[in-house]
Amino acid sequence: MDIYALFSVIPQLHLITFDADRRMIRSNDNIGPIFSAFLSTEEYMEMIFSHGKNHDTPFVLAAYIGFVWEAIYEKKDGKLMRVHVLGPIFYSPYSDKAMEHCLRQYESLGMSFSSKHKLIAQMKELPVMKYSQFAHYGMMLHYLVNDQRITMILTICRIPPFSTQTLCP
């Protein structure tokens, strides 16, 4: 089954796949590289991959900017082969002004967005959905890549506003 085609029918829900060396290898659309670059700008990738090395269960990352991502781990004989990342989504509507303010805050911390205007344009198109709906998409993707049913995604990591601290279990 082509998971990329399957997830492309959900409007604006992005699916980005990384290999075990953190290289983006595929996306269900041409926007994947923009959000892949955002994930790489902070410690987000490190958290996603660290969890995947020690766990098989999906990982949810909620960033201050309002983005929420789900990482689903594909393993072979216990070894991490790929990480499939769904998202980002928003849990609630986010105004243009709030988006620009958050990006300015990130830039003041030294983050650089080479495609800031593209990122803002794409942020405006992101889906807003309940966590339970988003979690079901993650559970479905986990089943498709691992042939294993799970009941709910429990590991959530929230990044507090402009802090080097994370709130991960």
Side-chain angles (χ1 to χ4, degrees):
M1 173 171 292
D2 183 357
I3 61 173
Y4 304 96
L6 179 65
F7 280 91
S8 68
V9 301
I10 304 165
Q12 300 300 322
L13 185 58
H14 306 285
L15 171 61
I16 307 166
T17 300
F18 299 91
D19 66 14
D21 295 321
R22 303 179 187 196
R23 290 183 301 252
M24 188 185 96
I25 56 174
R26 189 155 179 206
S27 176
N28 67 334
D29 55 31
N30 61 354
I31 303 304
I34 292 172
F35 291 116
S36 172
F38 182 84
L39 279 172
S40 299
T41 58
E42 239 188 67
E43 69 273 3
Y44 303 143
M45 275 302 217
E46 181 60 35
M47 287 185 277
I48 289 170
F49 276 83
S50 290
H51 181 83
K53 288 179 183 173
N54 302 312
H55 302 89
D56 297 335
T57 56
F59 179 75
V60 177
L61 176 70
Y64 169 72
I65 198 167
F67 287 165
V68 180
W69 313 80
E70 289 184 71
I72 288 74
Y73 304 100
E74 184 177 343
K75 294 186 174 184
K76 184 175 181 179
D77 299 323
K79 183 180 178 191
L80 184 63
M81 303 303 289
R82 291 185 184 92
V83 177
H84 304 277
V85 179
L86 281 175
I89 64 145
F90 289 118
Y91 285 154
S92 60
Y94 221 70
S95 72
D96 293 358
K97 187 176 180 178
M99 288 179 208
E100 291 177 20
H101 175 74
C102 283
L103 288 178
R104 277 195 305 276
Q105 290 286 84
Y106 274 107
E107 287 175 325
S108 72
L109 295 173
M111 295 177 99
S112 172
F113 300 102
S114 60
S115 302
K116 183 177 175 181
H117 66 284
K118 287 182 186 177
L119 181 60
I120 290 174
Q122 288 307 311
M123 288 170 67
K124 293 177 185 179
E125 300 295 322
L126 291 176
V128 175
M129 65 179 70
K130 293 179 182 176
Y131 174 72
S132 59
Q133 180 183 1
F134 191 50
H136 282 103
Y137 290 136
M139 293 179 342
M140 180 175 68
L141 181 56
H142 180 84
Y143 177 74
L144 291 170
V145 299
N146 295 300
D147 197 30
Q148 177 190 33
R149 292 182 188 271
I150 56 174
T151 54
M152 186 54 83
I153 297 170
L154 297 175
T155 305
I156 299 175
C157 183
R158 183 171 54 88
I159 310 300
F162 311 113
S163 170
T164 56
Q165 251 187 334
T166 59
L167 304 174
C168 298

